[in-house]
Amino acid sequence: AQSVTQLGSHVSVSEGALVLLRCNYSSSVPPYLFWYVQYPNQGLQLLLKYTTGATLVKGINGFEAEFKKSETSFHLTKPSAHMSDAAEYFCAVSSRSGTYKYIFGTGTRLKVLA
Amino acid sequence: DAGVTQSPTHLIKTRGQHVTLRCSPISGHKSVSWYQQVLGQGPQFIFQYYEKEERGRGNFPDRFSARQFPNYSSELNVNALLLGDSALYLCASSYGQGDGYTFGSGTRLTVV
């Protein structure tokens, strides 16, 4: 069965500092991988996805993530945090076949300090 | 283009009542899924529909049901509401399996 672990339910960074949000997955075969952001009282917005090809994936708002098969990781990074990045971030995995469903992690709340 | 639209945005129901939540996918998207997000947790998969057929069901009781219409819109029905059904219900649509889901803003259901 697939699962997702997000290390750190709360992460605080200073404005302008590096953002690193961790995601590890468990899957018998390489899955599709996604990062979503959720602002208060809103739905989820897709930041980026890994399906195939280049393992370093660039997304919106300056975020990127690297798929590392050997480490079963898909960590999200951004070189310089902005106040507007404060939100909840979710990592998700999906099988490449069968039922198209996401398994989400428990989320990481990012706080950006002025 | 309009995104995924859900209605209503907020809803308050009494224990034991029935509720219907509605979702209109992005035009051209044939796959619709429903998720339940309890406060402080990640979304949990409830149903997936593709071309009006149920393709997957999560670990939810039979009180939860759904359907997809010929225009690909969808309804989620919950019978005999419990306090624990209070959550944000998210609908998502997609063109294909690797494309990534686009989520709606959700329906906030409160059961009292």
Side-chain angles (χ1 to χ4, degrees):
Chain A
Q2 293 179 320
S3 65
V4 175
T5 301
Q6 290 185 241
L7 291 176
S9 58
H10 291 81
V11 170
S12 294
V13 299
S14 298
E15 191 174 20
L18 171 72
V19 175
L20 171 60
L21 305 182
R22 300 178 186 274
C23 173
N24 288 88
Y25 69 90
S26 173
S27 179
S28 56
V29 295
Y32 292 137
L33 294 157
F34 306 88
W35 274 100
Y36 281 83
V37 61
Q38 186 176 36
Y39 297 98
N41 299 314
Q42 294 188 24
L44 286 79
Q45 180 183 11
L46 179 65
L47 281 175
L48 49 78
K49 62 182 179 182
Y50 172 77
T51 56
T52 188
T55 56
L56 182 62
V57 180
K58 295 187 183 299
I60 62 172
N61 301 337
F63 284 94
E64 61 182 37
E66 186 171 11
F67 168 60
K68 292 187 176 181
K69 184 179 177 181
S70 60
E71 299 177 8
T72 60
S73 69
F74 191 56
H75 301 332
L76 182 71
T77 60
K78 182 174 181 178
S80 177
H82 191 273
M83 297 298 288
S84 61
D85 294 327
E88 185 110 30
Y89 292 79
F90 291 96
C91 180
V93 299
S94 170
S95 295
R96 292 176 177 267
S97 61
T99 299
Y100 184 21
K101 68 176 184 181
Y102 286 174
I103 305 296
F104 282 90
T106 51
T108 297
R109 183 165 298 279
L110 176 66
K111 185 175 182 179
V112 181
L113 306 172
Chain B
D1 283 341
V4 177
T5 57
Q6 293 187 243
S7 63
T9 55
H10 294 83
L11 202 53
I12 299 175
K13 289 286 190 177
T14 303
R15 277 177 296 174
Q17 285 189 317
H18 163 90
V19 68
T20 297
L21 310 182
R22 295 178 173 83
C23 171
S24 292
I26 289 175
S27 178
H29 286 188
K30 299 179 179 180
S31 176
V32 171
S33 289
W34 288 92
Y35 289 80
Q36 181 197 64
Q37 186 178 21
V38 174
L39 198 63
Q41 298 183 19
Q44 298 290 318
F45 171 73
I46 310 176
F47 286 108
Q48 187 223 344
Y49 277 79
Y50 182 78
E51 285 281 16
K52 303 178 287 292
E53 291 188 2
E54 181 182 306
R55 293 295 185 91
R57 168 189 278 264
N59 189 24
F60 281 80
D62 291 343
R63 300 184 295 107
F64 289 76
S65 64
R67 54 180 176 169
Q68 186 177 32
F69 298 98
N71 65 353
Y72 302 109
S73 66
S74 178
E75 282 183 355
L76 175 69
N77 294 281
V78 187
N79 292 323
L81 286 166
L82 303 173
L83 294 180
D85 295 331
S86 295
L88 180 67
Y89 288 85
L90 296 164
C91 176
S93 74
S94 173
Y95 181 77
Q97 194 133 344
D99 292 336
Y101 273 119
T102 299
F103 283 82
S105 296
T107 294
R108 173 74 61 187
L109 173 65
T110 302
V111 182
V112 296

